[in-house]
Amino acid sequence: IAMEFAFMGGAAQDPADKPGVASLTASLLDEGAGDMTAEVFHRTLADKAIELHFDANRDEMRGSVRTLSENRDAAFDLLRLSVTAPRFDTEAVERIRTAQLAALRRRSTEPNAIASERWFATAFPNHPYGRPVSGTLDSVPAITREDLASFAKRTMARDNLKIAVVDR
């Protein structure tokens, strides 16, 4: 079973002074949910051969889940938990924040990444599209757990959801 979905409202919904909230939120959705820590959540995904992934772009937060039919119930339960009860535990937030900052430092030396960010900033001045999706080296450290939880609650709602499912 393969399912792709998107919640309308991505990085364009980030606070003006905190680009990167959508991206960091997406990166944390599989880092523990409900009563499951990140370690338990990841072990359960691996034990059941479930692939669960989230990312954010300017207009949406996208996700996908892939699993064998026999693990359907477990896969959709883990997906439900990650969307409705993400934990945003301090350890996970700091680990993922550190990774996002490292990626931003790498991108700061890549000509294509630099050109892309400058193009968006020039093409969309004073507009959410002009801000970097992954945030900046200054904004990402300022993102709080409350920012993440607020973005998740506001964006991941049924009236914002589009779904596509394939069952072979």
Side-chain angles (χ1 to χ4, degrees), residues 48-68:
K48 299 281 188 179
I50 300 167
E51 292 179 23
L52 181 61
H53 177 73
F54 297 92
D55 68 356
N57 61 36
R58 283 180 169 77
D59 292 319
E60 60 200 10
M61 181 162 347
R62 299 184 63 83
S64 65
V65 62
R66 287 173 178 59
T67 189
L68 300 172

